[in-house]
Amino acid sequence: MGTTTSGLLTIATVVLVLAVAHVPLGDAMARVFTGERHLRVESAVYRLCGVSPSSEQRWSTYALSVAAFSAVSIVGLFALIRFQGSLPLARGAAMDTDTAVNTAVSFTTNTNWQSYVGEVGASPVVQTLGLAVQNFVSAAVGLAIAVALIRGLTRNASTTLGNFWVDLTRSVVRILLPLAAIGAIVLLAGGVVQDLTAPEVVHGLSGVDQTVQSGLIASQEAIKELGTNGGGYLNANSAHPLENPNAVTNLVQVVLMLVIPFSLPRTYGVLVGDRRQGHGVLAFMATLWVSMLAVITWAETAAATGPLGAMEGKEVRFGVWGSTLFAHTTTATSTGAVNSLHESYSPLGGGGALFNMMLGEVSPGGVGAGLYGALVVAILAVFVAGLMVGRTPEIVGKTVGRREITLVALVTVTTPALVLLGTGAALALGTARAGLLGTGPHGLTEMLYAFTSASNNNGSAFAGLTADQPYLNLTLAACMLLGRFVPILLILALAGSLAAQRRRPATDGTMPTHTPLFAGLMVGVAVLVTGLTFLPVLALGPLAEALS
């Protein structure tokens, strides 16, 4: 079987699995957030935390709960990392203070950017009790925000958006834990390691001894991909044979990254009482996903020269197609895992992965974050269309007025501002610039990729940049914090504003937001806004390199 045929069959398999899971998983998630019964384990959590599950919160209280939970998570994870040398199974693992700050912020914000070497920076205790736990709860926060925004669209003259603690707990207990358990078993059967044996010294083919560290990798790998987290247990991430041994586990990991984000449009349609609305969002996400996959794969296969083709920086067990599918998926979601070296991609291939993140990771985006990002695009598209045809902009019966579009505009400009200002400041500083491996357009792309990855809470690394230095650790941590929580605060304010409105019945004058035409408008708005914002810097980076 040829590589093209094999690659197309792999993509078709991914699409088939996602299509089969879309309806049952989407409906199940809708039931999770609308059910009135609390499981015993959930009730125990509420009692332990002193939470009343029957009480509801205003958007401001909901936002304070998110902020408080995340702040405690950052402090707790930082302390665990700094004191890991005094804990069992330390294995000599340690991080500097600035690296520990970066890591604590990174995993709490669902970014999972790693400035440290996995094998020596984090002990099994930190990996399991710190990083893996944040993989669950940071993804659950994204789900909670998405559901809060949907409630804002569905509620009628309401002052509340639900209860953050209930949404968080249900997301972990009823969605993430069961799916992660299934994923871990499948990965374990595929050869991913799950043990706590001592590190083993092996004699490498090059004649150099190498220390191989194992750990509870399969369980962490499952939630790493399912929760669109991306932090690798080992430094080579999903290119390491202990994390991703073969083409089958590679396909499973791609499915895990996509299954929740591509099922959430169904959840949205069910919760707003019109499944066609979910179809429109799904069409928007799928169009972008297919289009960018085609661009990146074409760039890597067409630009290949020499006897090894485009295999530089790629694992032979995955090949070009398996690598580009993974690279595209990890940047189209907020996962950030890598199974190949993006630094070695062609200028257009690496630029395509960069553009995925610049789109705001809405194709389909991270767990929860992708859906609320897509709904922000939908609201912006409704407003633009309303201006063009002279209709009052509405979405599912809610008017997009001055307050709503102001909040949407602020969400839209927050991340680009962080990316461009952060990149510019770093390039102007000699200390940060000294960390670049490349020069000229490629060096610009290395720095631009780092700040794009951090500000969009992706976490993937272009490589070539030595980021473990105080300036980059702290500035990237600031970008992660602001890139995560400023949009969340604005989206919760938007949800509160929408919830306070009365829902209007659809009339002949209502603009349909479920049609293929509107999905195409959403694609156009997303691409146009991204292009106008980032085209100058892309022209100086990957585009200039491609044309050189």
Side-chain angles (χ1 to χ4, degrees), residues 61-75 164-165 485:
T61 308
Y62 202 104
L64 283 173
S65 298
V66 174
F69 177 75
S70 300
V72 170
S73 296
I74 291 172
V75 172
F164 168 72
W165 306 106
F485 294 113

Side-chain angles (χ1 to χ4, degrees), residues 74-429:
I74 291 172
V75 172
L77 183 54
F78 173 79
L80 184 65
I81 292 170
R82 291 297 288 159
F83 292 109
Q84 62 181 315
S86 303
L87 300 174
L89 300 173
R91 296 181 178 178
M95 292 188 202
D96 293 333
T97 300
D98 56 287
T99 309
V101 169
N102 182 283
T103 303
V105 170
S106 177
F107 278 79
T108 300
T109 58
N110 199 243
T111 310
N112 302 82
W113 171 272
Q114 293 175 284
S115 292
Y116 63 92
V117 175
E119 290 88 335
V120 299
S123 70
V125 171
V126 169
Q127 295 273 18
T128 305
L129 298 183
L131 307 186
V133 169
Q134 286 305 315
N135 284 349
F136 279 98
V137 296
S138 65
V141 168
L143 276 173
I145 304 304
V147 171
L149 179 56
I150 295 173
R151 291 193 186 114
L153 290 167
T154 58
R155 294 194 170 182
N156 197 34
S158 174
T159 59
T160 60
L161 295 175
N163 188 309
F164 168 72
W165 306 106
V166 173
D167 294 337
L168 178 76
T169 304
R170 289 187 175 189
S171 296
V172 172
V173 173
R174 303 192 193 186
I175 299 174
L176 297 173
L177 272 172
L179 291 178
I182 295 171
I185 292 171
V186 173
L187 291 174
L188 188 61
V192 180
V193 172
Q194 181 84 351
D195 65 42
L196 282 175
T197 56
E200 180 181 353
V201 178
V202 298
H203 193 64
L205 296 176
S206 61
V208 178
D209 289 343
Q210 181 179 2
T211 301
V212 178
Q213 178 171 299
S214 61
L216 303 178
I217 298 176
S219 56
Q220 189 158 326
E221 196 74 15
I223 189 57
K224 154 189 159 181
E225 311 294 14
L226 180 70
T228 59
N229 295 284
Y233 198 102
L234 305 169
N235 191 50
N237 208 284
S238 289
H240 199 291
L242 297 187
E243 289 196 28
N244 194 6
N246 51 60
V248 174
T249 57
N250 193 64
L251 186 147
V252 170
Q253 291 187 24
V254 170
V255 169
L256 286 173
M257 284 187 262
L258 295 171
V259 67
I260 292 179
F262 265 131
S263 297
L264 279 172
R266 171 74 178 191
T267 305
Y268 166 63
V270 172
L271 292 179
V272 299
D274 184 357
R275 292 185 176 89
R276 298 175 301 171
Q277 300 293 333
H279 297 160
V281 174
L282 177 64
F284 161 72
M285 291 177 169
T287 299
L288 287 175
W289 187 80
V290 171
S291 300
M292 290 307 299
L293 174 61
V295 168
I296 295 172
T297 303
W298 168 81
E300 288 306 289
T301 54
T305 57
L308 295 179
M311 284 302 295
E312 178 186 325
K314 301 179 179 68
E315 295 295 317
V316 293
R317 62 187 188 274
F318 305 137
V320 174
W321 284 76
S323 299
T324 55
L325 174 61
F326 198 100
H328 164 60
T329 299
T330 194
T331 50
T333 60
S334 64
T335 311
V338 292
N339 76 346
S340 55
L341 192 65
H342 294 185
E343 170 88 4
S344 295
Y345 276 45
S346 67
L348 292 181
L354 178 61
F355 191 75
N356 274 340
M357 295 185 290
M358 289 176 171
L359 280 169
E361 296 170 334
V362 290
S363 57
V367 169
L371 179 60
Y372 65 67
L375 293 179
V376 166
V377 175
I379 293 171
L380 185 58
V382 162
F383 183 77
V384 171
L387 291 178
M388 290 191 296
V389 301
R391 293 183 181 180
T392 301
E394 294 181 11
I395 181 168
V396 293
K398 296 299 180 76
T399 302
V400 180
R402 182 173 63 87
R403 175 175 170 78
E404 288 77 22
I405 198 60
T406 299
L407 292 168
V408 166
L410 290 173
V411 171
T412 304
V413 302
T414 295
T415 301
L418 292 171
V419 172
L420 297 175
L421 292 174
T423 302
L427 289 174
L429 186 68

Side-chain angles (χ1 to χ4, degrees), residues 36 38 46 51-57 155 160 162-163 166 170:
E36 296 182 358
H38 304 291
Y46 302 145
V51 172
S52 172
S54 59
S55 64
E56 294 220 341
Q57 299 172 317
R155 294 194 170 182
T160 60
N163 188 309
V166 173
R170 289 187 175 189

